[in-house]
Amino acid sequence: MSPSGLAKGLLALLGLALILFTFNHARLLAREAATHRLDQSREEADRVQAAIEAQVLEEARRLATAPEVAASLERAEPAAAVAATRRQGLEPAVGLQVVSVDDNLRVTTSGTFKRAEIWDSMREALETGSAAGIERDEESGALAVTAAVLSRTPGRPATALAIARPLGSDFADALKAATGLDASIYTPDGVRRATTLLEADGSRASGSPAASVPWRRWERRQRAFVTATVSRAAAFDPIRSRQGDVVAVRELTAPLDYELGFRRLAGSRRFLVEVLFLGLAAVMAFLLARSARER
């Protein structure tokens, strides 16, 4: 190949390299912006979860102070307290548990959320007076926001009431409303239980397993992380029970804004240095081609 042809080939290669460098750096800048947005949204998502737990705890307090329920709790009669609470209009899907602590622990459970032992929020309420958190039903695998309050009457056993409100798509919708990002909640086996994502036909996705690549990373690390593809970035965070056990995994996804990435190119020192080196290479190729013509 002649020096002139080689120079032209080098110029074409440098042009292609400039295009690739530009696209890749724009992708990196878009990813950086998406990651920053996710970091802010993760804090907001934590606040949303805390607010929902507080709402359920307030509901438990309201139920426990209803006259008929309060009277049953004061008498340390779990079965009567469950029946009285149900008469307050509590939905059938909401789990209900009343525990009376005397010489023999008495537990009465009602509703769809059941466990062989008392709930974590109930256990803490017996110790501190009240508690709220997210728990997983060991029988069905379902998730619920639980809250418990303690009732003490002098001379009688301590009695506590807890409710378990199923954690469903309304929780994911609240996360999206607060963060503007799509949200999915997975059980520890990686099966989606609640999500704001939509299927091709416009219906809400439900029960779909987590993507294999990030989920394998989660299984290895078991702690919060952020990952990205060509089109989006995703933040994975554990949701823990009152006892610190991972009962669910939260995923927030943010699309990569390439338009923003291209706009930020002019302020990127790394990109400008890369363009400078490509420019120097182009000048050398031009000088080589001119030298070949003069011979």
Side-chain angles (χ1 to χ4, degrees):
M1 179 182 294
S2 65
S4 178
L6 178 60
K8 292 179 180 178
L10 287 174
L11 287 174
L13 183 60
L14 290 171
L16 178 61
L18 177 61
I19 294 173
L20 292 176
F21 279 146
T22 301
F23 175 80
N24 184 63
H25 208 77
R27 183 183 67 83
L28 292 175
L29 291 173
R31 176 178 175 175
E32 180 181 297
T35 301
H36 178 68
R37 183 182 178 188
L38 283 171
D39 288 339
Q40 294 179 321
S41 298
R42 293 160 92 172
E43 296 177 1
E44 185 62 34
D46 290 339
R47 287 192 287 269
V48 169
Q49 180 178 325
I52 291 176
E53 292 174 2
Q55 290 172 3
V56 177
L57 180 58
E58 183 59 32
E59 183 180 6
R61 288 195 175 110
R62 178 185 62 80
L63 292 168
T65 55
E68 186 181 4
V69 178
S72 298
L73 293 174
E74 290 173 1
R75 294 193 301 269
E77 299 175 347
V82 167
T85 305
R86 282 294 176 195
R87 286 195 288 272
Q88 301 302 312
L90 199 62
E91 307 96 305
V94 177
L96 175 62
Q97 186 179 64
V98 176
V99 170
S100 178
V101 182
D102 49 17
D103 292 337
N104 296 311
L105 181 67
R106 291 185 291 162
V107 180
T108 300
T109 302
S110 174
T112 57
F113 191 81
K114 299 180 180 180
R115 292 184 62 173
E117 58 184 26
I118 61 176
W119 306 340
D120 289 341
S121 57
M122 174 67 83
R123 183 181 294 105
E124 187 166 340
L126 291 171
E127 298 175 355
T128 64
S130 65
I134 293 179
E135 298 188 39
R136 180 171 180 263
D137 191 324
E138 298 296 342
E139 295 182 7
S140 67
L143 300 170
V145 182
T146 63
V149 292
L150 180 66
S151 174
R152 284 192 179 276
T153 303
R156 292 186 180 273
T159 307
L161 177 146
I163 59 176
R165 185 163 291 281
L167 190 154
S169 297
D170 54 343
F171 179 56
D173 290 339
L175 293 177
K176 184 170 185 176
T179 64
L181 305 177
D182 281 319
S184 294
I185 310 300
Y186 300 93
T187 48
D189 58 3
V191 177
R192 183 185 297 146
R193 296 298 189 191
T195 182
T196 57
L197 299 177
L198 299 179
E199 301 284 13
D201 60 1
S203 62
R204 189 195 301 265
S206 178
S208 303
S212 59
V213 174
W215 195 256
R216 285 197 298 269
R217 184 177 176 185
W218 160 258
E219 290 178 328
R220 289 195 305 268
R221 302 182 58 159
Q222 293 288 304
R223 63 177 184 271
F225 69 92
V226 177
T227 185
T229 64
V230 175
S231 60
R232 66 172 192 162
F236 287 80
D237 291 275
I239 296 178
R240 299 183 183 275
S241 69
R242 302 292 302 189
Q243 300 298 315
D245 300 323
V246 177
V247 295
V249 180
R250 184 187 73 209
E251 178 191 30
L252 297 175
T253 62
L256 265 60
D257 188 347
Y258 279 89
E259 182 178 348
L260 175 63
F262 281 113
R263 290 202 305 268
R264 290 185 174 182
L265 284 177
S268 172
R269 293 182 179 179
R270 177 180 172 183
F271 176 70
L272 294 177
V273 170
E274 291 174 350
V275 171
L276 176 61
F277 276 105
L278 288 174
L280 291 175
V283 170
M284 293 178 64
F286 173 77
L287 293 176
L288 177 62
R290 188 176 67 175
S291 175
R293 286 196 299 270
E294 291 175 351
R295 291 179 182 177

